């Protein structure tokens, strides 16, 4: 059983550019959540996808968008990058069953915006 | 709005010196409380899920407990490899996308 994978591991962009981050969910999982983790802080929820539909969103502007594909992999797109977007971006997958469900995290993508 | 506060922010322990980490939470109903371990530059690693007050779970030197307002992560006789940031998160009914709301974490350093 493979775990959650993310690519790339590191990325450097300049302010105003656009970036796409990718995530492959754990085998058997149909739900993907994205989180942003600034240095020294806990992760903040961006949004979640369940069976290719957005299933909830945190307090992030519309320039943060996402997709989920039929194989349940996912992309996070960020347009018009700002310096404050520099962070570790985490993807987590889960089974999508009702009730409390454990989310399993990938290794993250470290984004630096200059 | 769901809130999670962890204390202390940082903890320095000698090898073998047991201690406890606190996670206080405010939610409108609790679906589950989660503990994760995070090593520097890596993603959080799942440790425990607690569902109701009075529940306890153990794994090696770690034991998590839950009350109606807080959770504790007890580290018994820690070793240097227990050094990490420990994150607590809550999931509430009706939360957008079954999101996890995290605390700021407790950075634990165990010195040999």
């Amino acid at each position: 059983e493979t775990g959650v994978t993310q690519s790339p591991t590191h990325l450097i962009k300049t302010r105003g550019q656009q970036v796409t981050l990718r995530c492959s969910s754990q085998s058997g999982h149909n739900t993907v959540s994205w989180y942003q983790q600034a240095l020294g802080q806990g992760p903040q929820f961006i949004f979640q996808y369940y069976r290719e539909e957005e299933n909830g969103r945190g307090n992030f502007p519309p320039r943060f968008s996402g997709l989920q594909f039929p194989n349940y992999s996912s992309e996070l797109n960020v347009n018009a990058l700002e310096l404050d977007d520099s962070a570790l971006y985490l993807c987590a997958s889960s089974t999508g069953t009702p009730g409390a469900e454990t989310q399993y995290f990938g290794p993250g993508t470290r984004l630096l915006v200059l | 709005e769901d809130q999670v506060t962890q204390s202390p922010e940082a903890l320095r322990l000698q090898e073998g010196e047991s201690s406890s980490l606190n996670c206080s939470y405010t939610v409108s109903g609790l679906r589950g409380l989660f503990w994760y371990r995070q090593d520097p530059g890596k993603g959080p690693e799942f440790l425990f899920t607690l569902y109701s007050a009075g529940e306890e779970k153990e794994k090696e030197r770690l034991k998590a407990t839950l009350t109606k307002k807080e959770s504790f992560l007890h580290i018994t006789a820690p070793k240097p490899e227990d050094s990490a940031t420990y994150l607590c998160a809550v999931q509430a009914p009706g939360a957008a996308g079954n999101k996890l709301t995290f605390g700021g974490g407790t950075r634990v350093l165990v010195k040999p």
Side-chain angles (χ1 to χ4, degrees), chain A residues 35 37 40 42-43 45 48 55-57 88 90 99-103 105-107, chain B residues 31 34 36 38 42-44 46 49 51 91 96-100 102-104:
Chain A
Y35 293 82
Q37 186 176 26
F45 176 72
Q48 183 180 84
N55 187 39
R57 188 179 184 92
L88 181 67
L90 296 163
E101 54 167 10
T102 300
Q103 296 183 14
F105 285 83
Chain B
R31 180 173 285 169
F34 301 81
Y36 289 86
Q38 186 174 29
K42 297 188 177 180
F46 170 71
T49 306
Y51 298 98
Q91 197 172 68
N98 291 329
K99 71 174 184 179
L100 294 175
F102 282 87

PDB file of all heavy atoms in Angstrom, chain A residues 35 37 40 42-43 45 48 55-57 88 90 99-103 105-107, chain B residues 31 34 36 38 42-44 46 49 51 91 96-100 102-104:
ATOM      1  N   TYR A  35      -3.727  21.740   2.984  1.00  0.00           N
ATOM      2  CA  TYR A  35      -3.450  22.619   4.117  1.00  0.00           C
ATOM      3  C   TYR A  35      -2.212  23.455   3.808  1.00  0.00           C
ATOM      4  O   TYR A  35      -1.303  23.008   3.102  1.00  0.00           O
ATOM      5  CB  TYR A  35      -3.182  21.801   5.385  1.00  0.00           C
ATOM      6  CG  TYR A  35      -4.391  21.053   5.907  1.00  0.00           C
ATOM      7  CD1 TYR A  35      -4.749  19.820   5.365  1.00  0.00           C
ATOM      8  CD2 TYR A  35      -5.163  21.566   6.945  1.00  0.00           C
ATOM      9  CE1 TYR A  35      -5.857  19.123   5.836  1.00  0.00           C
ATOM     10  CE2 TYR A  35      -6.271  20.882   7.424  1.00  0.00           C
ATOM     11  CZ  TYR A  35      -6.609  19.664   6.867  1.00  0.00           C
ATOM     12  OH  TYR A  35      -7.704  18.990   7.338  1.00  0.00           O
ATOM     13  N   GLN A  37       0.898  25.393   5.820  1.00  0.00           N
ATOM     14  CA  GLN A  37       1.557  25.482   7.117  1.00  0.00           C
ATOM     15  C   GLN A  37       2.700  26.490   7.047  1.00  0.00           C
ATOM     16  O   GLN A  37       3.730  26.216   6.431  1.00  0.00           O
ATOM     17  CB  GLN A  37       2.077  24.113   7.572  1.00  0.00           C
ATOM     18  CG  GLN A  37       2.636  24.140   8.985  1.00  0.00           C
ATOM     19  CD  GLN A  37       3.072  22.765   9.480  1.00  0.00           C
ATOM     20  OE1 GLN A  37       3.411  21.896   8.682  1.00  0.00           O
ATOM     21  NE2 GLN A  37       3.065  22.563  10.789  1.00  0.00           N
ATOM     22  N   GLY A  40       6.590  27.425  11.895  1.00  0.00           N
ATOM     23  CA  GLY A  40       6.330  27.542  13.324  1.00  0.00           C
ATOM     24  C   GLY A  40       4.866  27.535  13.714  1.00  0.00           C
ATOM     25  O   GLY A  40       4.535  27.772  14.886  1.00  0.00           O
ATOM     26  N   GLY A  42       0.683  25.737  13.132  1.00  0.00           N
ATOM     27  CA  GLY A  42      -0.048  24.534  12.751  1.00  0.00           C
ATOM     28  C   GLY A  42      -0.631  24.683  11.350  1.00  0.00           C
ATOM     29  O   GLY A  42      -0.786  25.796  10.847  1.00  0.00           O
ATOM     30  N   PRO A  43      -0.947  23.579  10.698  1.00  0.00           N
ATOM     31  CA  PRO A  43      -1.548  23.639   9.353  1.00  0.00           C
ATOM     32  C   PRO A  43      -2.904  24.343   9.369  1.00  0.00           C
ATOM     33  O   PRO A  43      -3.672  24.200  10.318  1.00  0.00           O
ATOM     34  CB  PRO A  43      -1.692  22.162   8.965  1.00  0.00           C
ATOM     35  CG  PRO A  43      -0.698  21.435   9.826  1.00  0.00           C
ATOM     36  CD  PRO A  43      -0.676  22.196  11.114  1.00  0.00           C
ATOM     37  N   PHE A  45      -6.467  24.809   7.064  1.00  0.00           N
ATOM     38  CA  PHE A  45      -7.272  24.155   6.028  1.00  0.00           C
ATOM     39  C   PHE A  45      -7.531  25.090   4.861  1.00  0.00           C
ATOM     40  O   PHE A  45      -8.007  26.211   5.058  1.00  0.00           O
ATOM     41  CB  PHE A  45      -8.584  23.702   6.656  1.00  0.00           C
ATOM     42  CG  PHE A  45      -9.574  23.087   5.708  1.00  0.00           C
ATOM     43  CD1 PHE A  45      -9.359  21.822   5.186  1.00  0.00           C
ATOM     44  CD2 PHE A  45     -10.726  23.763   5.349  1.00  0.00           C
ATOM     45  CE1 PHE A  45     -10.279  21.235   4.340  1.00  0.00           C
ATOM     46  CE2 PHE A  45     -11.652  23.195   4.511  1.00  0.00           C
ATOM     47  CZ  PHE A  45     -11.433  21.925   3.996  1.00  0.00           C
ATOM     48  N   GLN A  48     -11.154  20.945   0.540  1.00  0.00           N
ATOM     49  CA  GLN A  48     -11.213  19.488   0.439  1.00  0.00           C
ATOM     50  C   GLN A  48     -11.976  19.093  -0.820  1.00  0.00           C
ATOM     51  O   GLN A  48     -12.947  19.765  -1.205  1.00  0.00           O
ATOM     52  CB  GLN A  48     -11.909  18.886   1.663  1.00  0.00           C
ATOM     53  CG  GLN A  48     -11.958  17.362   1.668  1.00  0.00           C
ATOM     54  CD  GLN A  48     -12.670  16.815   2.905  1.00  0.00           C
ATOM     55  OE1 GLN A  48     -13.884  16.720   2.945  1.00  0.00           O
ATOM     56  NE2 GLN A  48     -11.897  16.473   3.913  1.00  0.00           N
ATOM     57  N   ASN A  55     -15.607  20.067  -1.481  1.00  0.00           N
ATOM     58  CA  ASN A  55     -16.470  19.625  -0.388  1.00  0.00           C
ATOM     59  C   ASN A  55     -16.315  20.501   0.859  1.00  0.00           C
ATOM     60  O   ASN A  55     -16.671  20.095   1.945  1.00  0.00           O
ATOM     61  CB  ASN A  55     -16.117  18.177  -0.045  1.00  0.00           C
ATOM     62  CG  ASN A  55     -17.054  17.571   0.960  1.00  0.00           C
ATOM     63  OD1 ASN A  55     -18.254  17.810   0.911  1.00  0.00           O
ATOM     64  ND2 ASN A  55     -16.517  16.800   1.893  1.00  0.00           N
ATOM     65  N   GLY A  56     -15.783  21.682   0.691  1.00  0.00           N
ATOM     66  CA  GLY A  56     -15.580  22.579   1.821  1.00  0.00           C
ATOM     67  C   GLY A  56     -14.344  23.417   1.587  1.00  0.00           C
ATOM     68  O   GLY A  56     -13.404  22.975   0.914  1.00  0.00           O
ATOM     69  N   ARG A  57     -14.351  24.628   2.134  1.00  0.00           N
ATOM     70  CA  ARG A  57     -13.261  25.560   1.892  1.00  0.00           C
ATOM     71  C   ARG A  57     -12.982  26.367   3.153  1.00  0.00           C
ATOM     72  O   ARG A  57     -13.922  26.751   3.863  1.00  0.00           O
ATOM     73  CB  ARG A  57     -13.647  26.496   0.744  1.00  0.00           C
ATOM     74  CG  ARG A  57     -12.527  27.385   0.265  1.00  0.00           C
ATOM     75  CD  ARG A  57     -12.976  28.265  -0.889  1.00  0.00           C
ATOM     76  NE  ARG A  57     -11.852  29.044  -1.401  1.00  0.00           N
ATOM     77  CZ  ARG A  57     -11.070  28.659  -2.387  1.00  0.00           C
ATOM     78  NH1 ARG A  57     -11.299  27.516  -3.004  1.00  0.00           N
ATOM     79  NH2 ARG A  57     -10.053  29.407  -2.789  1.00  0.00           N
ATOM     80  N   LEU A  88       4.799  25.584   3.765  1.00  0.00           N
ATOM     81  CA  LEU A  88       4.765  24.155   3.443  1.00  0.00           C
ATOM     82  C   LEU A  88       3.318  23.817   3.095  1.00  0.00           C
ATOM     83  O   LEU A  88       2.415  24.064   3.904  1.00  0.00           O
ATOM     84  CB  LEU A  88       5.246  23.333   4.633  1.00  0.00           C
ATOM     85  CG  LEU A  88       5.286  21.810   4.448  1.00  0.00           C
ATOM     86  CD1 LEU A  88       6.357  21.417   3.422  1.00  0.00           C
ATOM     87  CD2 LEU A  88       5.549  21.111   5.777  1.00  0.00           C
ATOM     88  N   LEU A  90       0.598  21.046   2.413  1.00  0.00           N
ATOM     89  CA  LEU A  90       0.368  19.646   2.764  1.00  0.00           C
ATOM     90  C   LEU A  90      -0.912  19.126   2.135  1.00  0.00           C
ATOM     91  O   LEU A  90      -1.935  19.815   2.124  1.00  0.00           O
ATOM     92  CB  LEU A  90       0.261  19.495   4.278  1.00  0.00           C
ATOM     93  CG  LEU A  90       1.524  19.850   5.072  1.00  0.00           C
ATOM     94  CD1 LEU A  90       1.182  20.057   6.545  1.00  0.00           C
ATOM     95  CD2 LEU A  90       2.562  18.755   4.929  1.00  0.00           C
ATOM     96  N   GLY A  99     -18.543  10.535   9.851  1.00  0.00           N
ATOM     97  CA  GLY A  99     -17.971  10.503  11.191  1.00  0.00           C
ATOM     98  C   GLY A  99     -16.528  10.934  11.185  1.00  0.00           C
ATOM     99  O   GLY A  99     -15.998  11.334  10.151  1.00  0.00           O
ATOM    100  N   ALA A 100     -15.897  10.855  12.305  1.00  0.00           N
ATOM    101  CA  ALA A 100     -14.498  11.258  12.421  1.00  0.00           C
ATOM    102  C   ALA A 100     -13.652  10.353  11.545  1.00  0.00           C
ATOM    103  O   ALA A 100     -13.726   9.133  11.647  1.00  0.00           O
ATOM    104  CB  ALA A 100     -14.032  11.164  13.865  1.00  0.00           C
ATOM    105  N   GLU A 101     -12.902  10.952  10.672  1.00  0.00           N
ATOM    106  CA  GLU A 101     -12.066  10.154   9.798  1.00  0.00           C
ATOM    107  C   GLU A 101     -10.639  10.670   9.841  1.00  0.00           C
ATOM    108  O   GLU A 101     -10.399  11.872   9.786  1.00  0.00           O
ATOM    109  CB  GLU A 101     -12.599  10.180   8.367  1.00  0.00           C
ATOM    110  CG  GLU A 101     -12.807  11.571   7.802  1.00  0.00           C
ATOM    111  CD  GLU A 101     -13.021  11.554   6.297  1.00  0.00           C
ATOM    112  OE1 GLU A 101     -13.192  10.462   5.732  1.00  0.00           O
ATOM    113  OE2 GLU A 101     -12.992  12.626   5.693  1.00  0.00           O
ATOM    114  N   THR A 102      -9.713   9.745   9.934  1.00  0.00           N
ATOM    115  CA  THR A 102      -8.311  10.099  10.016  1.00  0.00           C
ATOM    116  C   THR A 102      -7.807  10.551   8.655  1.00  0.00           C
ATOM    117  O   THR A 102      -8.089   9.908   7.634  1.00  0.00           O
ATOM    118  CB  THR A 102      -7.487   8.903  10.502  1.00  0.00           C
ATOM    119  OG1 THR A 102      -7.953   8.519  11.796  1.00  0.00           O
ATOM    120  CG2 THR A 102      -6.016   9.265  10.578  1.00  0.00           C
ATOM    121  N   GLN A 103      -7.096  11.652   8.627  1.00  0.00           N
ATOM    122  CA  GLN A 103      -6.467  12.145   7.408  1.00  0.00           C
ATOM    123  C   GLN A 103      -4.982  11.819   7.480  1.00  0.00           C
ATOM    124  O   GLN A 103      -4.322  12.090   8.479  1.00  0.00           O
ATOM    125  CB  GLN A 103      -6.704  13.646   7.268  1.00  0.00           C
ATOM    126  CG  GLN A 103      -8.181  13.986   7.094  1.00  0.00           C
ATOM    127  CD  GLN A 103      -8.445  15.463   6.888  1.00  0.00           C
ATOM    128  OE1 GLN A 103      -7.545  16.249   6.625  1.00  0.00           O
ATOM    129  NE2 GLN A 103      -9.706  15.847   6.997  1.00  0.00           N
ATOM    130  N   PHE A 105      -1.250  12.385   5.906  1.00  0.00           N
ATOM    131  CA  PHE A 105      -0.567  13.463   5.208  1.00  0.00           C
ATOM    132  C   PHE A 105       0.602  12.981   4.354  1.00  0.00           C
ATOM    133  O   PHE A 105       1.280  12.001   4.675  1.00  0.00           O
ATOM    134  CB  PHE A 105      -0.037  14.485   6.225  1.00  0.00           C
ATOM    135  CG  PHE A 105      -1.106  15.356   6.804  1.00  0.00           C
ATOM    136  CD1 PHE A 105      -1.872  14.911   7.873  1.00  0.00           C
ATOM    137  CD2 PHE A 105      -1.361  16.614   6.277  1.00  0.00           C
ATOM    138  CE1 PHE A 105      -2.883  15.714   8.410  1.00  0.00           C
ATOM    139  CE2 PHE A 105      -2.354  17.419   6.800  1.00  0.00           C
ATOM    140  CZ  PHE A 105      -3.117  16.967   7.865  1.00  0.00           C
ATOM    141  N   GLY A 106       0.827  13.727   3.283  1.00  0.00           N
ATOM    142  CA  GLY A 106       2.017  13.539   2.473  1.00  0.00           C
ATOM    143  C   GLY A 106       3.184  14.315   3.057  1.00  0.00           C
ATOM    144  O   GLY A 106       3.043  15.000   4.072  1.00  0.00           O
ATOM    145  N   PRO A 107       4.347  14.252   2.385  1.00  0.00           N
ATOM    146  CA  PRO A 107       5.550  14.916   2.897  1.00  0.00           C
ATOM    147  C   PRO A 107       5.552  16.423   2.714  1.00  0.00           C
ATOM    148  O   PRO A 107       6.358  17.125   3.341  1.00  0.00           O
ATOM    149  CB  PRO A 107       6.671  14.268   2.090  1.00  0.00           C
ATOM    150  CG  PRO A 107       6.016  13.847   0.820  1.00  0.00           C
ATOM    151  CD  PRO A 107       4.616  13.456   1.189  1.00  0.00           C
TER     152      PRO A 107
ATOM    153  N   ARG B  31     -16.335  15.676  16.882  1.00  0.00           N
ATOM    154  CA  ARG B  31     -16.415  14.421  16.125  1.00  0.00           C
ATOM    155  C   ARG B  31     -15.188  13.558  16.444  1.00  0.00           C
ATOM    156  O   ARG B  31     -15.288  12.350  16.540  1.00  0.00           O
ATOM    157  CB  ARG B  31     -16.494  14.715  14.636  1.00  0.00           C
ATOM    158  CG  ARG B  31     -16.584  13.487  13.754  1.00  0.00           C
ATOM    159  CD  ARG B  31     -16.827  13.888  12.311  1.00  0.00           C
ATOM    160  NE  ARG B  31     -18.188  14.318  12.086  1.00  0.00           N
ATOM    161  CZ  ARG B  31     -18.605  14.915  10.976  1.00  0.00           C
ATOM    162  NH1 ARG B  31     -17.756  15.187  10.027  1.00  0.00           N
ATOM    163  NH2 ARG B  31     -19.869  15.252  10.841  1.00  0.00           N
ATOM    164  N   PHE B  34      -7.446  14.504  17.206  1.00  0.00           N
ATOM    165  CA  PHE B  34      -6.346  13.785  16.568  1.00  0.00           C
ATOM    166  C   PHE B  34      -5.009  14.306  17.080  1.00  0.00           C
ATOM    167  O   PHE B  34      -4.825  15.510  17.276  1.00  0.00           O
ATOM    168  CB  PHE B  34      -6.395  13.988  15.044  1.00  0.00           C
ATOM    169  CG  PHE B  34      -7.678  13.531  14.415  1.00  0.00           C
ATOM    170  CD1 PHE B  34      -8.809  14.338  14.440  1.00  0.00           C
ATOM    171  CD2 PHE B  34      -7.753  12.302  13.796  1.00  0.00           C
ATOM    172  CE1 PHE B  34      -9.994  13.920  13.864  1.00  0.00           C
ATOM    173  CE2 PHE B  34      -8.942  11.878  13.213  1.00  0.00           C
ATOM    174  CZ  PHE B  34     -10.060  12.685  13.248  1.00  0.00           C
ATOM    175  N   TYR B  36      -0.907  14.206  16.035  1.00  0.00           N
ATOM    176  CA  TYR B  36       0.067  13.920  14.992  1.00  0.00           C
ATOM    177  C   TYR B  36       1.452  14.274  15.508  1.00  0.00           C
ATOM    178  O   TYR B  36       1.614  15.164  16.342  1.00  0.00           O
ATOM    179  CB  TYR B  36      -0.193  14.754  13.737  1.00  0.00           C
ATOM    180  CG  TYR B  36      -1.414  14.374  12.938  1.00  0.00           C
ATOM    181  CD1 TYR B  36      -2.661  14.884  13.257  1.00  0.00           C
ATOM    182  CD2 TYR B  36      -1.311  13.515  11.845  1.00  0.00           C
ATOM    183  CE1 TYR B  36      -3.780  14.554  12.508  1.00  0.00           C
ATOM    184  CE2 TYR B  36      -2.424  13.186  11.082  1.00  0.00           C
ATOM    185  CZ  TYR B  36      -3.655  13.707  11.429  1.00  0.00           C
ATOM    186  OH  TYR B  36      -4.750  13.373  10.673  1.00  0.00           O
ATOM    187  N   GLN B  38       5.200  15.580  13.961  1.00  0.00           N
ATOM    188  CA  GLN B  38       5.789  16.148  12.753  1.00  0.00           C
ATOM    189  C   GLN B  38       7.277  16.384  12.960  1.00  0.00           C
ATOM    190  O   GLN B  38       7.672  17.126  13.867  1.00  0.00           O
ATOM    191  CB  GLN B  38       5.098  17.464  12.360  1.00  0.00           C
ATOM    192  CG  GLN B  38       5.579  18.007  11.026  1.00  0.00           C
ATOM    193  CD  GLN B  38       4.789  19.230  10.578  1.00  0.00           C
ATOM    194  OE1 GLN B  38       4.280  19.989  11.390  1.00  0.00           O
ATOM    195  NE2 GLN B  38       4.679  19.404   9.263  1.00  0.00           N
ATOM    196  N   LYS B  42       8.880  17.808   7.282  1.00  0.00           N
ATOM    197  CA  LYS B  42       8.104  16.648   6.822  1.00  0.00           C
ATOM    198  C   LYS B  42       6.627  16.835   7.138  1.00  0.00           C
ATOM    199  O   LYS B  42       6.234  17.737   7.870  1.00  0.00           O
ATOM    200  CB  LYS B  42       8.621  15.370   7.473  1.00  0.00           C
ATOM    201  CG  LYS B  42      10.059  15.042   7.094  1.00  0.00           C
ATOM    202  CD  LYS B  42      10.463  13.671   7.591  1.00  0.00           C
ATOM    203  CE  LYS B  42      11.876  13.322   7.131  1.00  0.00           C
ATOM    204  NZ  LYS B  42      12.301  11.979   7.592  1.00  0.00           N
ATOM    205  N   GLY B  43       5.791  15.963   6.555  1.00  0.00           N
ATOM    206  CA  GLY B  43       4.371  16.017   6.828  1.00  0.00           C
ATOM    207  C   GLY B  43       4.027  15.386   8.163  1.00  0.00           C
ATOM    208  O   GLY B  43       4.778  14.551   8.685  1.00  0.00           O
ATOM    209  N   PRO B  44       2.897  15.773   8.754  1.00  0.00           N
ATOM    210  CA  PRO B  44       2.473  15.179  10.023  1.00  0.00           C
ATOM    211  C   PRO B  44       2.226  13.678   9.899  1.00  0.00           C
ATOM    212  O   PRO B  44       1.655  13.222   8.907  1.00  0.00           O
ATOM    213  CB  PRO B  44       1.168  15.923  10.341  1.00  0.00           C
ATOM    214  CG  PRO B  44       1.261  17.210   9.582  1.00  0.00           C
ATOM    215  CD  PRO B  44       2.003  16.853   8.330  1.00  0.00           C
ATOM    216  N   PHE B  46       0.355  10.458  11.628  1.00  0.00           N
ATOM    217  CA  PHE B  46      -0.778  10.163  12.510  1.00  0.00           C
ATOM    218  C   PHE B  46      -0.347   9.324  13.702  1.00  0.00           C
ATOM    219  O   PHE B  46       0.396   8.345  13.572  1.00  0.00           O
ATOM    220  CB  PHE B  46      -1.870   9.447  11.724  1.00  0.00           C
ATOM    221  CG  PHE B  46      -2.968   8.894  12.581  1.00  0.00           C
ATOM    222  CD1 PHE B  46      -3.869   9.740  13.204  1.00  0.00           C
ATOM    223  CD2 PHE B  46      -3.095   7.518  12.776  1.00  0.00           C
ATOM    224  CE1 PHE B  46      -4.878   9.236  14.005  1.00  0.00           C
ATOM    225  CE2 PHE B  46      -4.098   7.001  13.563  1.00  0.00           C
ATOM    226  CZ  PHE B  46      -4.996   7.866  14.176  1.00  0.00           C
ATOM    227  N   THR B  49      -6.467   8.820  17.350  1.00  0.00           N
ATOM    228  CA  THR B  49      -7.754   9.482  17.293  1.00  0.00           C
ATOM    229  C   THR B  49      -8.503   9.161  18.577  1.00  0.00           C
ATOM    230  O   THR B  49      -8.574   7.996  18.987  1.00  0.00           O
ATOM    231  CB  THR B  49      -8.611   8.997  16.108  1.00  0.00           C
ATOM    232  OG1 THR B  49      -7.877   9.140  14.900  1.00  0.00           O
ATOM    233  CG2 THR B  49      -9.888   9.818  16.015  1.00  0.00           C
ATOM    234  N   TYR B  51     -12.339   9.848  20.500  1.00  0.00           N
ATOM    235  CA  TYR B  51     -13.685  10.211  20.090  1.00  0.00           C
ATOM    236  C   TYR B  51     -14.549  10.773  21.210  1.00  0.00           C
ATOM    237  O   TYR B  51     -15.435  11.592  20.958  1.00  0.00           O
ATOM    238  CB  TYR B  51     -14.392   8.995  19.485  1.00  0.00           C
ATOM    239  CG  TYR B  51     -13.727   8.455  18.237  1.00  0.00           C
ATOM    240  CD1 TYR B  51     -12.868   7.366  18.305  1.00  0.00           C
ATOM    241  CD2 TYR B  51     -13.955   9.039  17.000  1.00  0.00           C
ATOM    242  CE1 TYR B  51     -12.255   6.865  17.162  1.00  0.00           C
ATOM    243  CE2 TYR B  51     -13.342   8.543  15.854  1.00  0.00           C
ATOM    244  CZ  TYR B  51     -12.505   7.467  15.946  1.00  0.00           C
ATOM    245  OH  TYR B  51     -11.902   6.979  14.812  1.00  0.00           O
ATOM    246  N   GLN B  91     -11.954  17.806  14.871  1.00  0.00           N
ATOM    247  CA  GLN B  91     -12.891  17.719  13.759  1.00  0.00           C
ATOM    248  C   GLN B  91     -14.283  17.805  14.363  1.00  0.00           C
ATOM    249  O   GLN B  91     -14.602  17.054  15.293  1.00  0.00           O
ATOM    250  CB  GLN B  91     -12.691  16.392  13.033  1.00  0.00           C
ATOM    251  CG  GLN B  91     -13.274  16.312  11.643  1.00  0.00           C
ATOM    252  CD  GLN B  91     -12.851  15.023  10.966  1.00  0.00           C
ATOM    253  OE1 GLN B  91     -13.270  13.946  11.367  1.00  0.00           O
ATOM    254  NE2 GLN B  91     -12.022  15.129   9.943  1.00  0.00           N
ATOM    255  N   ALA B  96     -16.759  22.399   7.568  1.00  0.00           N
ATOM    256  CA  ALA B  96     -16.561  22.470   6.128  1.00  0.00           C
ATOM    257  C   ALA B  96     -15.587  21.412   5.667  1.00  0.00           C
ATOM    258  O   ALA B  96     -14.428  21.414   6.059  1.00  0.00           O
ATOM    259  CB  ALA B  96     -16.059  23.858   5.753  1.00  0.00           C
ATOM    260  N   GLY B  97     -16.079  20.494   4.878  1.00  0.00           N
ATOM    261  CA  GLY B  97     -15.198  19.497   4.312  1.00  0.00           C
ATOM    262  C   GLY B  97     -14.543  18.599   5.324  1.00  0.00           C
ATOM    263  O   GLY B  97     -13.471  18.062   5.082  1.00  0.00           O
ATOM    264  N   ASN B  98     -15.167  18.389   6.488  1.00  0.00           N
ATOM    265  CA  ASN B  98     -14.543  17.562   7.525  1.00  0.00           C
ATOM    266  C   ASN B  98     -13.135  18.044   7.822  1.00  0.00           C
ATOM    267  O   ASN B  98     -12.210  17.237   8.014  1.00  0.00           O
ATOM    268  CB  ASN B  98     -14.498  16.091   7.101  1.00  0.00           C
ATOM    269  CG  ASN B  98     -15.876  15.474   7.049  1.00  0.00           C
ATOM    270  OD1 ASN B  98     -16.758  15.867   7.804  1.00  0.00           O
ATOM    271  ND2 ASN B  98     -16.070  14.531   6.165  1.00  0.00           N
ATOM    272  N   LYS B  99     -12.965  19.370   7.864  1.00  0.00           N
ATOM    273  CA  LYS B  99     -11.629  19.920   8.044  1.00  0.00           C
ATOM    274  C   LYS B  99     -11.108  19.614   9.434  1.00  0.00           C
ATOM    275  O   LYS B  99     -11.857  19.428  10.390  1.00  0.00           O
ATOM    276  CB  LYS B  99     -11.654  21.432   7.832  1.00  0.00           C
ATOM    277  CG  LYS B  99     -12.346  22.194   8.948  1.00  0.00           C
ATOM    278  CD  LYS B  99     -12.211  23.687   8.761  1.00  0.00           C
ATOM    279  CE  LYS B  99     -12.814  24.449   9.931  1.00  0.00           C
ATOM    280  NZ  LYS B  99     -12.654  25.917   9.771  1.00  0.00           N
ATOM    281  N   LEU B 100      -9.782  19.595   9.519  1.00  0.00           N
ATOM    282  CA  LEU B 100      -9.105  19.529  10.804  1.00  0.00           C
ATOM    283  C   LEU B 100      -8.697  20.947  11.190  1.00  0.00           C
ATOM    284  O   LEU B 100      -8.133  21.670  10.371  1.00  0.00           O
ATOM    285  CB  LEU B 100      -7.864  18.644  10.717  1.00  0.00           C
ATOM    286  CG  LEU B 100      -8.099  17.163  10.448  1.00  0.00           C
ATOM    287  CD1 LEU B 100      -6.765  16.438  10.271  1.00  0.00           C
ATOM    288  CD2 LEU B 100      -8.891  16.542  11.585  1.00  0.00           C
ATOM    289  N   PHE B 102      -6.185  22.791  13.624  1.00  0.00           N
ATOM    290  CA  PHE B 102      -4.971  22.457  14.363  1.00  0.00           C
ATOM    291  C   PHE B 102      -4.624  23.523  15.393  1.00  0.00           C
ATOM    292  O   PHE B 102      -4.921  24.713  15.220  1.00  0.00           O
ATOM    293  CB  PHE B 102      -3.784  22.346  13.405  1.00  0.00           C
ATOM    294  CG  PHE B 102      -3.725  21.066  12.631  1.00  0.00           C
ATOM    295  CD1 PHE B 102      -4.389  20.921  11.432  1.00  0.00           C
ATOM    296  CD2 PHE B 102      -2.982  19.990  13.111  1.00  0.00           C
ATOM    297  CE1 PHE B 102      -4.332  19.734  10.711  1.00  0.00           C
ATOM    298  CE2 PHE B 102      -2.905  18.806  12.396  1.00  0.00           C
ATOM    299  CZ  PHE B 102      -3.585  18.676  11.202  1.00  0.00           C
ATOM    300  N   GLY B 103      -3.939  23.079  16.452  1.00  0.00           N
ATOM    301  CA  GLY B 103      -3.259  23.995  17.347  1.00  0.00           C
ATOM    302  C   GLY B 103      -1.890  24.326  16.770  1.00  0.00           C
ATOM    303  O   GLY B 103      -1.501  23.833  15.709  1.00  0.00           O
ATOM    304  N   GLY B 104      -1.153  25.162  17.495  1.00  0.00           N
ATOM    305  CA  GLY B 104       0.142  25.604  17.015  1.00  0.00           C
ATOM    306  C   GLY B 104       1.267  24.604  17.212  1.00  0.00           C
ATOM    307  O   GLY B 104       2.361  24.785  16.673  1.00  0.00           O
TER     308      GLY B 104
END
